[in-house]
Amino acid sequence: MSKDESIPVAPSLVDDIHITEERVVSKRVFFLSIQVVLNAIIIGFVAKALVALINLITNISFYGQFSFAEHGPAANQLGIWVIAVPVIGGLLVGIIARTGSAAIRGHGIPEAMEQVLTNESRIKPIITILKPLSAAISIGTGGPFGAEGPIIATGGAFGSFAGQIMHITPSERKIMLTAGATAGMAAIFGTPIAAVLLAIELLLFEFSPRSIIPVALACATGAAMHYLLFDTVPVFAMPVIPSPTYQDMLWYLLLGAVIGVIAAVVSKSVYFIEDLFEKLPIHWMWWPAIGAVAVGVTGYFAPYTLGVGYTNITDLLSGSLPLQLVLGLCFLKFISWSVSLGSGTSGGTLAPLLTIGGATGLALGMLVLRIFPESSINLPTCALIGMAAMFAGAARALLTSIVFAFECTMQPHGLLPLLGACTASYFVSFFMMKSSIMTEKIQRRGVHTPDKYEPDVLQNLSVEMVMEKQEKGRLTDFQTIYVYPESRLGLAIDIMGRYNINSLPVVNKENKQEVLGMLDAQMILNAYRQNRRDNDAYQRAISIKRRGFKLILQGRQILKSKGKN
């Protein structure tokens, strides 16, 4: 809106204040985009530092070496003493949480969601330091987590901190928090499009140009930092998979539905274990160390369950792992991860979900080929859709899971199976869970999380559609606070709230002394309620119409069958 189209508000004849309807894209979006790109560059280096710190702690803990080289804990020679390493790490995480901030507990995304929904996207700056440090200790001492959750939480905290320094609006600070979090994900995995979709499905709770432009630029920058600091090849390399046949697609759909059931069980198990820890008669500071006992014991019998385990995902996608190892990653990794996460330690959920899901998909594929040897399903494809469907069902991030699996492997023939299996898993999870693994924790605290995106009714209705019109324009000497007929109701609400008034005159734009009508809060409320009621009636009408079509079709089929008889 140009300057001459502004809505003037003059509380006095001396002091004129101008309130304008906010543009979808303005110069503020431009400056915000510059800031989030700079933040994403910094977050890329933070991601690299976090991975290096995890490698360092891993080498010190399991091999007694001061080295930043990537060396997983599975090859350690500690014997029975390997049980003590995760326990020491859990104890350190508990001390950091107790003395620093309890907000470092958990896997990152739910905590970021809660700050977006309840605290105007304000995260304590100390989280920017304590979250990666605690996560590096937890993972480096054998915790079965991924680095993506901590870097998402760290990136979100850094974006929020930058937004608090800039003194911007809560809406803009939400964009900066989201841009920082998703830039961290893109920096770890090199998946910019999946990171944007993650922002839409789990953090932004909106889809608008003013939010998508900065977030997309931040994700692109994060991915560029991944290519600069890590590698340019797909994170999870796998053999080329064939294009599926229609028979294969039926199996993949069924496999996705089964994994949807398993995803619901996995999610509920984590919070069941968390509830058990809540009943312990000791302070929560000690819980991570207690949960780490399960990590150590499992790691003693199955060393491949220790640590991040990105190599496990790559091995699963090859489709050539022996059944014993596949089942170990299904069950033992799940036990280790669920108990540790339920204890409230610091770590991510994405990598464990991908590992458990990939192993489950591969195991189910092996079972199908064993019972139906004539089936032509592809085992690497089963592992791929297994890991994505597990994420889709547990986190309810449908589009994110599909695109993430594609960007991590760059297998175009996997897109159709991914779409079918992930949708089936997503569909099943809604019948089995009221919330997801990402939202259960904050919903227990009474925080409602949106599950659908609707246009803002108040931005779609104009003042003229709602106001009480005057039969003939009434002339006044001067209007102090007013709106125009073409103004949006959202602007009218903003003015009423800012100046604590219940009604506004509606004036002629050409002659501001001519009052065309009046608008009050009750009119706006009635318009909002009527709009929602009309929308519900429209949806019911569609449903009734569809049922009518079904009855007609059924009637025709009955008549045809009678005619044949």
Side-chain angles (χ1 to χ4, degrees):
M1 183 178 292
S2 60
K3 190 174 182 180
D4 60 344
E5 294 177 318
S6 61
I7 311 298
V9 177
S12 68
L13 295 176
V14 180
D15 182 22
D16 285 340
I17 301 174
H18 295 274
I19 296 180
T20 60
E21 293 190 77
E22 186 177 0
R23 289 187 240 177
V24 175
V25 177
S26 65
K27 63 181 181 181
R28 293 184 66 86
V29 175
F30 172 74
F31 291 120
L32 202 63
S33 299
I34 295 176
Q35 183 62 50
V36 298
V37 167
L38 295 176
N39 290 353
I41 294 173
I42 297 172
I43 292 167
F45 285 109
V46 172
K48 180 66 174 179
L50 174 61
V51 172
L53 186 59
I54 291 173
N55 292 337
L56 175 63
I57 296 175
T58 300
N59 285 315
I60 292 174
S61 302
F62 291 95
Y63 305 104
Q65 301 173 359
F66 189 91
S67 172
F68 292 98
E70 185 176 352
H71 196 186
N76 74 85
Q77 302 295 323
L78 296 177
I80 193 70
W81 291 104
V82 75
I83 298 175
V85 176
V87 174
I88 294 172
L91 182 61
L92 292 175
V93 170
I95 293 172
I96 293 173
R98 177 70 185 275
T99 59
S101 173
I104 66 169
R105 304 172 68 220
H107 47 96
I109 295 179
E111 291 74 19
M113 294 172 69
E114 184 174 19
Q115 298 307 311
V116 167
L117 293 168
T118 64
N119 196 30
E120 296 185 339
S121 302
R122 297 180 185 272
I123 299 178
K124 295 179 180 179
I126 192 66
I127 302 299
T128 309
I129 299 173
L130 295 184
K131 186 64 178 181
L133 176 61
S134 62
I137 293 173
S138 176
I139 299 170
T141 54
F145 306 107
E148 71 290 331
I151 194 60
I152 286 174
T154 303
F158 184 79
S160 173
F161 174 61
Q164 293 173 59
I165 293 176
M166 296 167 63
H167 299 291
I168 55 181
T169 66
S171 177
E172 292 169 330
R173 190 161 50 249
K174 177 181 73 172
I175 295 171
M176 291 193 66
L177 183 155
T178 303
T182 51
M185 176 181 174
I188 290 290
F189 290 113
T191 54
I193 302 176
V196 173
L197 294 173
L198 180 77
I200 296 171
E201 293 188 302
L202 295 181
L203 291 173
L204 279 177
F205 307 113
E206 67 169 282
F207 185 88
S208 64
R210 68 170 186 170
S211 59
I212 291 302
I213 291 173
V215 169
L217 290 173
C219 292
T221 306
M225 295 301 294
H226 173 85
Y227 300 145
L228 174 66
L229 301 174
F230 294 97
D231 208 338
T232 58
V233 298
V235 175
F236 304 132
M238 66 179 297
V240 176
I241 60 178
S243 179
T245 64
Y246 76 91
Q247 295 99 330
D248 297 339
M249 281 301 303
L250 294 176
W251 283 115
Y252 295 147
L253 283 171
L254 178 61
L255 189 144
V258 172
I259 291 179
V261 176
I262 298 172
V265 173
V266 166
S267 301
K268 291 182 178 181
S269 299
V270 169
Y271 288 102
F272 173 76
I273 294 171
E274 187 174 292
D275 290 339
L276 293 180
F277 273 98
E278 293 283 350
K279 296 177 182 178
L280 291 178
I282 58 176
H283 194 276
W284 56 257
M285 182 187 78
W286 306 102
W287 297 354
I290 297 173
V293 174
V295 177
V297 172
T298 306
Y300 173 70
F301 292 101
Y304 52 84
T305 61
L306 295 169
V308 174
Y310 290 150
T311 55
N312 289 334
I313 298 174
T314 303
D315 293 339
L316 287 168
L317 291 173
S318 70
S320 58
L321 285 182
L323 180 61
Q324 182 180 358
L325 194 58
V326 173
L327 293 178
L329 289 173
C330 276
F331 296 104
L332 297 181
K333 183 77 172 183
F334 165 69
I335 293 171
S336 173
W337 165 72
S338 59
V339 174
S340 185
L341 185 64
S343 70
T345 192
S346 179
T349 58
L350 182 53
L353 285 174
L354 297 178
T355 303
I356 297 167
T360 304
L362 185 56
L364 290 174
M366 291 178 174
L367 180 63
V368 170
L369 289 177
R370 179 73 180 225
I371 300 175
F372 303 98
E374 71 281 0
S375 173
S376 61
I377 62 171
N378 178 259
L379 288 181
T381 304
C382 291
L384 177 64
I385 64 176
M387 74 181 207
M390 181 66 74
F391 182 49
R396 290 197 183 151
L398 174 62
L399 299 178
T400 302
S401 62
I402 296 170
V403 176
F404 176 83
F406 170 70
E407 287 188 296
C408 282
T409 60
M410 299 307 274
Q411 294 292 323
H413 289 156
L415 279 173
L416 183 57
L418 283 170
L419 179 61
C422 290
T423 304
S425 176
Y426 184 80
F427 177 75
V428 169
S429 74
F430 273 97
F431 288 96
M432 299 190 65
M433 297 190 297
K434 293 182 179 180
S435 55
S436 72
I437 196 170
M438 300 298 179
T439 60
E440 174 72 18
K441 179 178 290 187
I442 58 178
Q443 285 191 358
R444 289 183 174 194
R445 299 171 185 166
V447 180
H448 172 70
T449 54
D451 58 0
K452 57 184 177 180
Y453 308 103
E454 296 179 340
D456 187 351
V457 173
L458 299 181
Q459 295 300 329
N460 291 338
L461 297 177
S462 66
V463 169
E464 187 175 19
M465 298 170 65
V466 179
M467 70 179 187
E468 180 181 329
K469 297 180 180 179
Q470 303 278 352
E471 292 185 3
K472 185 177 181 181
R474 176 169 54 88
L475 298 180
T476 60
D477 293 333
F478 186 79
Q479 290 297 331
T480 57
I481 304 176
Y482 53 84
V483 289
Y484 299 137
E486 60 270 26
S487 300
R488 302 291 97 182
L489 289 183
L491 177 63
I493 286 289
D494 183 53
I495 295 174
M496 289 180 180
R498 183 173 300 189
Y499 295 101
N500 195 26
I501 55 178
N502 294 320
S503 62
L504 283 171
V506 184
V507 304
N508 189 334
K509 194 170 186 178
E510 304 301 328
N511 181 11
K512 297 180 179 59
Q513 294 182 357
E514 182 182 1
V515 179
L516 301 177
M518 292 297 297
L519 179 72
D520 60 34
Q522 187 61 45
M523 295 176 189
I524 297 175
L525 180 61
N526 291 338
Y528 179 81
R529 185 173 60 244
Q530 184 62 42
N531 186 276
R532 294 298 298 267
R533 184 183 302 158
D534 292 345
N535 184 54
D536 291 341
Y538 175 71
Q539 292 178 350
R540 286 196 297 270
I542 292 177
S543 178
I544 292 172
K545 189 175 182 181
R546 286 176 178 170
R547 289 199 294 268
F549 281 136
K550 289 181 181 179
L551 290 173
I552 292 173
L553 291 174
Q554 290 173 358
R556 288 178 178 177
Q557 290 175 355
I558 293 172
L559 291 174
K560 286 181 180 180
S561 62
K562 288 183 177 180
K564 290 179 180 179
N565 294 331

